[in-house]
Structures are given as structure tokens and as C-alpha cells.
Amino acid sequence: MDNRQIAQVFAEIADLLEIKGENVFKIRAYRTAAETVGTWADPVSRMDDRQLRDLPGIGKDLAAKIRELAETGTCAFHQELLQEFPPTILDLLRLHGVGPKTVALLFTTLNIRTVDELANAARTGRLRDLKGMGAKKEALILKAIEERQKDAGRHLLSDTATASAELVAHLREHAPQVDFVPVGSLRRGCETCGDIDILATGGDPGLMEVFIGYGKVDRVLGHGDTKSSVRLQGGYQADLRLVPPESRGAAMQYFTGSKAHNIVLRDRAIQRGLKLNEYGLFRTGDDSRVAGDTEEGIYEALGLAWVEPELRENRGEIEAAAERRLPRLVSAADIRGDLHMHTTATDGRDEVEAMAAAAERLGYAYIAITDHSKTLAMANGLDEHRALAHAARVRALNGRFGGLTLLAGIECDILPDGRLDLADDCLAQLDLVIASVHSHFTQDEAQMTDRVLRALESSWVDILAHPTGRLLLKREPLRINMEAVAAAASRHGVALEINCQTDRLDLNDAHARLACERGAGLVISTDAHSVTALGHLRWGLQMARRAWATPADVLNTRSLQELRPLLRRSRRAA
Ligand code: DGT
Ligand code: CA
Ligand code: CA
Ligand code: ZN
């Protein structure tokens, strides 16, 4: 079992214990263990008992459970809990506004075990009379179910990328002569993906046996000579298509999509007396081939510059490609530092030193340590006194990690009325201030917008973090007027963050593009709570690219020398 699978078991145990109404410390221990294992770099299944017990938050009991999972693939305690509750009950817990108490109530009183059963009960008005329910909550549950159905079968970009990479590794191992490339929404870097699309060239139909023989295949949905579909463990659907080598470019183009981009391209072909499909670009009259072995060839024959996959959404990229004015998108090589991360001073899992050492290995010029402020008591947030003491410790490390500069910052909560959680004279003494909303998500649009605008007006805020608070496939964005926020950010010289946590990706592509158009700077930050999470930068980068962002649009592509004058404290001093 890999770390993710073990973490999954612990997370399920925590959920099930919560439904049972067990002791909160016990529940928290399993949650912490799930976090630790899920983000640990080395496989915990290969560790012995002593090494396991050295992991943060892992004691004797949890170490034994990890050994049990590693050796047998299951855990007796987990199985016992699943005897008490059907596993489908965990789907209920993932509905917005449905907590463990509600799940327990629904199960014990109405024997509701699945989302479908819950939907039925809500539609027929059977929930409203339960203790603590009422018609309003019933309606909210129904709405949450509808939201969920819109997302059904979709997965986070990062999870899809992992599942796809494992599948492609299997294919390459068993068919080394074949060329494989992931296409579809994954190649376009969409925030969630409906399925995994793999394109193969240079193989024979025997390849399909290799595909359906993959160890993680749960079910074969279709099996042909040029196209097969399977369902994988974890609920991913995967399609494999095989085309001849001379069609590789055409098929890459076709199956990368998006559908909207392809439709415009096909019309453009028709206007030129050509026919475009997944096998190539052909003259309408005599079916002779014009292009098809490369994507560049296809675009060129249509009078277009090659278009980066992230831009292929019919949002103006075809006009720009025709006029040769596509942007030079920001890429990993442009990134010089990371301006949002947490440490053990609050709710991070690694020490400042470990984060700095990892950043040095990544070749960064700078990082900002931005732990939480006091209102976030759950995360052990810092008050003014602790914030300044922490800052002093952070600064004292400068010089110890090669050319890396550590900036002492804070992630300061924006209080419900728009005031900041820490006093101005404390914020003034830090190198960088991030402001963010972590509470009162349900304010209406006017209130929320006023609240955030007020924070942007403060003298010290440099960055607004995860501006909409959304959690992909879990929590809707808060209601806020992004036009007004982008305009204010531009006016005050505050950068808007693209948060790289894999279930945030917040700002999204459309909002990030709006920010750039309004002249607000972007910053791509990991918000890492561990060393491993520093590697999540690529997912935010993908959002920035989908937003047409160039290196100039992104604050953390600057050298430290260029960055400093852009921070508010420098501008005030000037
Ligand atoms: P997803 O899977 O919902 O995340 O999004 P996609 O874009 O990966 O969609 P998918 O898997 O249905 O199809 C992959 C690509 O194949 C799609 O982006 C464009 C192409 N494609 C699929 N169906 C059509 C179609 O009916 N017409 C055209 N022109 N292209 C299509
Ligand atoms: Ca797809
Ligand atoms: Ca597909
Ligand atoms: Zn944070």
C-alpha cells in the first residue's frame, strides 16, 4: 500500500468515529496521522516500528496499524467500523452542510445509507420532521446533492495527473516501442478532470490487452482495436486511443480539445476548403493530406501559430494565434520564490529550517514564512508578541541556506468587519503581509466585498490569499464582487494569489485573467504546510497559464531586488 492509500484508510476511520460520536482526541489522532502519512515523502510501508514512531503524531497504536496495512493490505479496526456502517455513508459526509451528527441521525432514524436514498427522503419531505432538521435544512441538503451531481465523476487535476502517470508508466513498461501522451482536460490543465484520455501511436491492437490488464482496472467499459475504456480504482475513467504515427499531431490536437476550440478550428478548415479530423487535415476535393503528423503542422496549415494547450478554450486564442500575438506564458523556470507557507509555529508540519532547506534545493532566491494570526486559534495562530518573536527567529536564519533569503511574513486573518487580526505596528515590522478570509464565509456579496476591500485599503497588506475560499468538489466559492476586488487590488498595489493547494486553485483561471486585465499583479503561492507541499507550485502555475499570465504578470518571477520595492512598506518609505 502506498502512502495515499494508508492515509485514506486513516481518514475513513476518523470519519466513521465521528459518525459514531467517539472521543474527539481519538478522532483527531487519526486525522493527524492521515495528514502525516499522506504528505510524507518516503513510503511508510517500508519503515519499521521504530522509524514509524519517529513520525510526528504516530504512536505505538498507529504504528502497529500502519504495519498491519503494509503487511495485510487491510486493517481490522477499519473493517470492524465498516461492519457497523455501510461505506457509502461516507459519501453523505462529503455533502456541503452535512456533518457527522446529521449522518448518524439519518442512518439511525431513516436507515439512509446512500446519497440517492437521502435525495429521495428530502424530495418526499421526510427529513423536515427529524429532530433539529426543518424544511430549510431539508432544502439545503437537496441543493447540496444537486451541486454534487454536477461534479459527479470529476477528480482534482493533481489526483488525475497522478493516476494518469501511473497508468502511462504501466503502458510504457509493457509496450516500450509505443508513444503515449495524455490529452483531454488533463493536458489543458483544467482544475478538475472528467476522465483520463491517453493517446497512443506506433502500436498494434495488442496494446489494448496491456491497457485492460493494468492492475488498477476495476471494470472494462469498452474494448476495441483502436479505442478502449476502463474504470480504475478510485473512480477514474480512462480512455485509450490508438492512431497511426502519421496521425499523431492531428489526434493530439483533436483529443486535447477543448470541444469549443476544436469547433472553431474545424470551421476555419472548412473555410479554407479543408477537412479536419483526428486523422489529419485533408483537401476537401481529393482527400489529399495537408498535415497531421505534428500539431504545429495542423495549426500552421490553418494560418495559425501553435497554441499552448492551456489556452485552447475558445477564449480569444485563435484570433491571437492568427495575429501572432499569443502571450509568452509563465513557466516553472520563471519562478524565483514562494511567498506563502506555514511552519510548526502554527499549523505547518515542518520547521522553518526544513522549509528553507527544501526551498534552497528548489533553487529559489527567496521564501516568505507566513504563519497564521491569532484569530485562527485552531491553527495555534500567532498574536503580535509571538509573531514578532517568530519573525526574529526566521530572519536569524538568513545566510544559512546558500543564496536563499527568508522573508518574515504573516498570513493575517481578515476579521468579519474587514479589520485585520493584528495591530498595524506589528504588521509594519514584518517583511510581507498576506491577508485572508478564514471565517464567516456566508456573508452576502455586499458585506463580503466591503470586508475584503477594507482589508486591501489597509496600509500593510501585500497579498490577498485564496480570494474566494472555494474548495474544489467540496465548498462553493464565497460570494464576492471580483471586478471590484481586482480594481481595488490594482489601485492599492496588492497582488492577488493563485493558491496552489490542490483543492483550492484559487483564484481560478477566469478570475486570474480578470485580475491581469485590471492591472492587478498575481502571485503563485503554495501555502505549503509541509516540505512536500512546496512541490505543488505546478498546479497554480497551470491556473496562471490558463489565465494567459506572462512572467511580468506574476510577482514571484521577480528577483528579490525587484520584489522588495513592490512591497507596501518600501513604497511607504519612498
Ligand atoms: P473532461 O473529460 O470533462 O474533463 O473534458 P475533456 O475536454 O477531456 O473532454 P472529453 O474527455 O469528453 O474529450 C476529450 C477531447 O476530445 C475534447 O476536449 C475534445 C475532443 N472531443 C470529444 N468529443 C468531441 C466532439 O463531439 N467534437 C469535437 N470537435 N471534439 C470532441
Ligand atoms: Ca477527458
Ligand atoms: Ca474522454
Ligand atoms: Zn496559508
Side-chain angles (χ1 to χ4, degrees):
M1 280 185 116
D2 64 27
N3 288 2
R4 262 186 322 140
Q5 292 168 310
I6 294 174
Q8 174 74 26
V9 171
F10 286 164
E12 279 192 23
I13 292 178
D15 287 344
L16 291 163
L17 290 175
E18 227 175 327
I19 294 168
K20 268 188 91 168
E22 286 260 1
N23 176 307
V24 290
F25 294 103
K26 191 165 173 188
I27 296 165
R28 197 174 303 156
Y30 280 100
R31 285 225 193 285
T32 311
E35 292 255 339
T36 305
V37 172
T39 56
W40 204 257
D42 306 317
V44 299
S45 59
R46 297 216 199 101
M47 296 183 178
D48 63 25
D49 192 60
R50 195 189 47 79
Q51 289 169 314
L52 286 171
R53 286 164 73 173
D54 280 344
L55 294 177
I58 306 288
K60 183 168 150 236
D61 189 45
L62 283 162
K65 290 208 169 58
I66 293 175
R67 294 300 321 145
E68 184 187 358
L69 282 164
E71 279 156 24
T72 70
T74 70
C75 158
F77 182 53
H78 182 222
Q79 294 304 318
E80 271 167 38
L81 287 168
L82 288 175
Q83 294 296 313
E84 280 181 67
F85 302 102
T88 49
I89 208 167
L90 295 167
D91 299 337
L92 301 181
L93 205 52
R94 265 149 228 136
L95 289 168
H96 189 46
V98 178
K101 287 210 181 66
T102 307
V103 173
L105 178 75
L106 294 168
F107 181 62
T108 51
T109 56
L110 298 176
N111 193 29
I112 289 172
R113 292 159 303 173
T114 66
V115 174
D116 280 347
E117 287 170 3
L118 181 60
N120 261 326
R123 278 195 201 102
T124 51
R126 280 184 292 140
L127 301 184
R128 60 187 65 181
D129 299 328
L130 295 179
K131 198 164 134 270
M133 275 283 184
K136 202 168 157 202
K137 178 124 191 214
E138 186 177 77
L140 283 176
I141 288 180
L142 208 50
K143 181 162 170 279
I145 293 173
E146 278 155 15
E147 266 167 24
R148 172 54 44 90
Q149 276 157 356
K150 174 184 77 177
D151 294 337
R154 300 196 72 81
H155 295 267
L156 297 181
L157 172 63
S158 61
D159 292 343
T160 311
T162 306
S164 166
E166 287 170 0
L167 169 59
V168 169
H170 164 86
L171 294 170
R172 288 199 176 122
E173 187 188 333
H174 293 89
Q177 76 289 1
V178 181
D179 176 85
F180 296 100
V181 52
V183 285
S185 50
L186 176 60
R187 182 164 179 238
R188 302 199 310 280
C190 297
E191 59 195 29
T192 63
C193 300
D195 66 358
I196 297 169
D197 300 293
I198 309 281
L199 177 69
T201 41
D204 56 52
L207 174 64
M208 295 300 168
E209 305 298 330
V210 172
F211 179 58
I212 64 174
Y214 176 46
K216 289 196 174 173
V217 169
D218 260 351
R219 200 144 53 92
V220 177
L221 305 171
H223 183 186
D225 284 350
T226 58
K227 176 177 178 200
S228 296
S229 292
V230 296
R231 202 176 153 82
L232 302 177
Q233 286 167 20
Y236 301 92
Q237 192 184 314
D239 293 346
L240 177 68
R241 288 187 179 81
L242 176 64
V243 298
E246 70 271 18
S247 296
R248 181 174 186 266
M252 268 177 81
Q253 197 292 311
Y254 184 91
F255 293 115
T256 296
S258 66
K259 211 172 274 186
H261 176 89
N262 285 1
I263 287 169
V264 180
L265 226 55
R266 198 173 47 204
D267 286 348
R268 201 177 163 92
I270 292 168
Q271 283 162 18
R272 286 170 164 66
L274 300 168
K275 192 175 73 188
L276 177 63
N277 59 33
E278 63 266 53
Y279 297 104
L281 185 64
F282 306 92
R283 277 190 198 87
T284 318
D286 57 4
D287 271 355
S288 62
R289 168 183 291 269
V290 177
D293 57 340
T294 67
E295 273 195 342
E296 287 82 353
I298 301 266
Y299 282 96
E300 196 178 308
L302 295 173
L304 300 171
W306 179 77
V307 180
E308 301 264 13
E310 291 95 333
L311 300 185
R312 299 184 194 173
E313 299 289 349
N314 192 26
R315 295 178 186 161
E317 74 280 8
I318 294 173
E319 296 79 354
E323 294 162 20
R324 312 280 151 172
R325 53 171 178 79
L326 283 167
R328 206 287 260 168
L329 299 181
V330 61
S331 70
D334 298 312
I335 301 296
R336 306 280 190 90
D338 191 337
L339 295 175
H340 185 166
M341 67 190 65
H342 299 268
T343 71
T344 47
T346 59
D347 62 348
R349 235 181 329 282
D350 290 308
E351 307 278 346
V352 183
E353 287 86 342
M355 299 301 273
E360 189 192 354
R361 284 196 296 277
L362 288 169
Y364 287 160
Y366 51 84
I367 54 170
I369 302 294
T370 55
D371 275 301
H372 290 292
S373 65
K374 64 190 174 198
T375 289
L376 220 55
M378 245 173 30
N380 187 24
L382 309 172
D383 61 15
E384 284 83 356
H385 182 74
R386 283 178 63 213
L388 292 177
H390 186 43
R393 277 195 306 274
V394 167
R395 289 183 182 130
L397 295 174
N398 273 315
R400 279 193 33 202
F401 297 93
L404 181 80
T405 299
L406 289 92
L407 300 172
I410 191 90
E411 178 177 14
C412 187
D413 263 52
I414 303 174
L415 302 177
D417 63 1
R419 279 180 307 123
L420 294 174
D421 190 21
L422 297 178
D424 270 1
D425 69 336
C426 169
L427 299 179
Q429 294 177 63
L430 300 171
D431 301 325
L432 176 131
V433 174
I434 299 177
S436 42
V437 169
H438 284 128
S439 68
H440 299 77
F441 290 112
T442 54
Q443 290 179 330
D444 65 31
E445 183 175 316
Q447 260 180 324
M448 186 59 84
T449 305
D450 282 351
R451 174 183 181 184
V452 169
L453 292 190
R454 185 164 171 202
L456 297 184
E457 280 158 20
S458 130
S459 310
W460 302 109
V461 172
D462 298 298
I463 295 167
L464 177 67
H466 44 72
T468 77
R470 72 163 176 183
L471 293 179
L472 285 164
L473 309 177
K474 258 188 274 174
R475 184 170 78 203
E476 295 291 301
L478 45 78
R479 284 159 293 175
I480 193 163
N481 180 342
M482 198 51 77
E483 288 268 357
V485 171
S490 167
R491 200 163 56 244
H492 297 296
V494 175
L496 298 181
E497 180 183 85
I498 298 179
N499 187 290
C500 300
Q501 285 192 12
T502 56
D503 59 351
R504 286 194 186 268
L505 302 181
D506 178 13
L507 298 176
N508 68 15
D509 49 4
H511 283 152
R513 191 166 176 198
L514 173 76
C516 292
E517 284 169 359
R518 293 293 178 277
L522 295 174
V523 55
I524 306 172
S525 299
T526 59
D527 194 0
H529 284 64
S530 69
V531 161
T532 348
L534 289 171
H536 291 166
L537 197 108
R538 53 186 291 212
W539 309 118
L541 201 51
Q542 199 96 72
M543 276 317 103
R545 292 168 60 85
R546 288 180 57 79
W548 294 54
T550 66
D553 293 320
V554 179
L555 205 64
N556 52 317
T557 62
R558 312 292 165 92
S559 68
L560 183 62
Q561 217 180 356
E562 295 164 329
L563 174 70
R564 282 221 198 254
L566 299 175
L567 301 177
R568 268 191 159 169
R569 53 235 358 89
S570 333
R571 284 184 273 133
R572 279 169 66 88

